[in-house]
Amino acid sequence: MTAWRKRTLHWTPARVLVTGFLFIITIGAILLKLPISTAPGHSLSIVDALFTATSAVCVTGLVVVDIGTTFSAFGQGVIISLVQIGGIGFMSVALLFYLMLGKRISLRERLILQESINANSMEGIVRTIKRVIIFVFVIQGTATVILMLHWSSHMSLTQAFYYALFHSVSLFNNGGFDLFGSSFQQYAGDFLTNLIAFLLVLSGGLGFIVLAELYDYPKSRRLSLHSKVVLSMSALLVVVGAIFIFIFEVTNPNTLGSLTWDGKLYASFFQSISARSSGTATLDIADMRQVTQFFLIILMFIGASPGSAGGGIKTTTFAILLAAVYAMLRGREDAVLFRHRLAKDQIVKALTIIFLALFMVLSVSMLLAVTEDEPFISILFDTVSAVATVGMSMGLTPEMTPFGKLVICMTMFIGRIGPMTLAYALGNRKEQSLFRYPEGKIMIG
């Protein structure tokens, strides 16, 4: 056994995940830099290739070039393949090949799978991943057929199939990439396109554990606390987000103001769900009022749900924070959700995640404010989009300096794997000490 093999056997699941993502990003960047990946008359710098590969694997969707015109069919195929791998996780893809080859899944590999989808335990993890893979192909396949038939009315059947497949994969995995050049703005008033896109983004952002429980619900008639929190918080954020976007933009002639009342409704809901993870848009973000742009920053920061293709601090983290604040204001010792008391360590972990995410946003925004000569709202918007792996942009990213692009690359990577996972991968988690320090009191507030 080689020394490398001996060392990697002792790697933690977090370190394996970080290394795996880095490896896929590197391979993707190399493939995108090949001449066959770009369309005739176009070329790609190594920084832009790395940026695009990172954005695809981290299912962000921020771009520095027009995907539809810069890349050839081969290059676009590489991008959407990276989105698929990044969305469902490279360990899920590896499991698929293991099952096809008839290999046994070891305990160590089950631990890595558990880490990759944020599952609470290893029990039934392989069965859950199998279902995830089935869900992915069934949902994406169904959406591809519907969109192909719908779009074939204004494009050839072959092109309609290609566009439908690309965008179904991108939307479900919350990738944010599109071939239209202006996202989905031309379909702002198209009910069917909005409906399919909405369902794809929503199902991809709920989390694979929740999808598995919803599949079993007709028989089991029960949902875990996790699923209840995810579903209720997701519904609340979508509805509240759509209402606020509608109120802020209904009189803006550059956004909702120019649409029919049906279009206003579709666009409000589309932006609300898309801002939390997908990054696609039926409205021009740069034309929105600043209050709407800042509200979208809040939605992006919250993000999707654990174990999904989306990013952000996650809906459950936000729900735990609200429950803890409510309990503190009411003078209660326990934070409660759906008649379940939340463990103290969960509250501490939620606060840690929020603090690390805020620290990343502030640090990266300040750094880019030094290197990029752009309005701060644009810098803050694209920074949060990168941290939360959303992909929405106010147009700043393509104009960035090479250094700024590398900073955003690093930000997208950390946002995808999570700051805590990266910390666990880089450091060694010490066992709990055998003694405790005396309790101290500090004045707060």
Side-chain angles (χ1 to χ4, degrees), residues 35-56:
I36 192 177
S37 293
T38 52
H42 291 81
S43 61
L44 200 67
S45 68
I46 185 63
V47 173
D48 289 348
L50 177 63
F51 188 100
T52 305
T54 305
S55 183

Side-chain angles (χ1 to χ4, degrees), residues 336-398:
V336 178
L337 285 173
F338 290 96
R339 298 184 179 180
H340 284 76
R341 174 174 50 86
L342 301 178
K344 298 297 183 183
D345 63 325
Q346 281 192 313
I347 298 175
V348 172
K349 184 177 180 180
L351 293 175
T352 302
I353 291 172
I354 294 171
F355 172 80
L356 291 175
L358 283 173
F359 179 79
M360 278 188 63
V361 169
L362 295 176
S363 301
V364 174
S365 297
M366 291 177 64
L367 181 59
L368 292 179
V370 175
T371 63
E372 313 301 320
D373 187 19
E374 298 289 342
F376 187 73
I377 184 67
S378 299
I379 293 175
L380 179 63
F381 192 98
D382 281 36
T383 298
V384 174
S385 182
V387 170
T389 67
V390 175
M392 280 187 175
S393 176
M394 291 180 60
L396 169 67
T397 312

Side-chain angles (χ1 to χ4, degrees), residues 14 20-21 79 92 97 101 120 183 197 241 259 291 320 328 365 409 424 437:
F21 272 109
I79 291 172
S92 298
F97 283 106
L101 295 174
N120 292 324
S183 197
L259 301 176
V291 63
I320 290 173
M328 180 64 67
S365 297
C409 276
Y424 293 157
Y437 290 102

Side-chain angles (χ1 to χ4, degrees), residues 216-233:
D216 289 333
Y217 183 75
K219 294 181 180 179
S220 64
R221 290 295 174 181
R222 63 180 300 274
L223 292 172
S224 65
L225 174 63
H226 170 79
S227 293
K228 290 178 181 178
V229 172
V230 166
L231 292 172
S232 58
M233 186 56 62

Side-chain angles (χ1 to χ4, degrees), residues 201 235 324 357:
V201 173

Side-chain angles (χ1 to χ4, degrees), residues 249-299:
E249 294 295 319
V250 69
T251 58
N252 186 346
N254 296 320
T255 55
L256 293 183
S258 61
L259 301 176
T260 64
W261 283 103
D262 288 345
K264 289 177 173 49
L265 185 63
Y266 303 156
S268 297
F269 273 95
F270 191 99
Q271 296 309 135
S272 178
I273 183 65
S274 182
R276 293 198 13 256
S277 53
S278 169
T280 48
T282 54
L283 302 174
D284 191 335
I285 306 300
D287 287 337
M288 289 181 172
R289 295 189 169 108
Q290 282 197 359
V291 63
T292 313
Q293 293 167 348
F294 190 77
F295 182 71
L296 291 179
I297 288 175
I298 297 174
L299 291 180

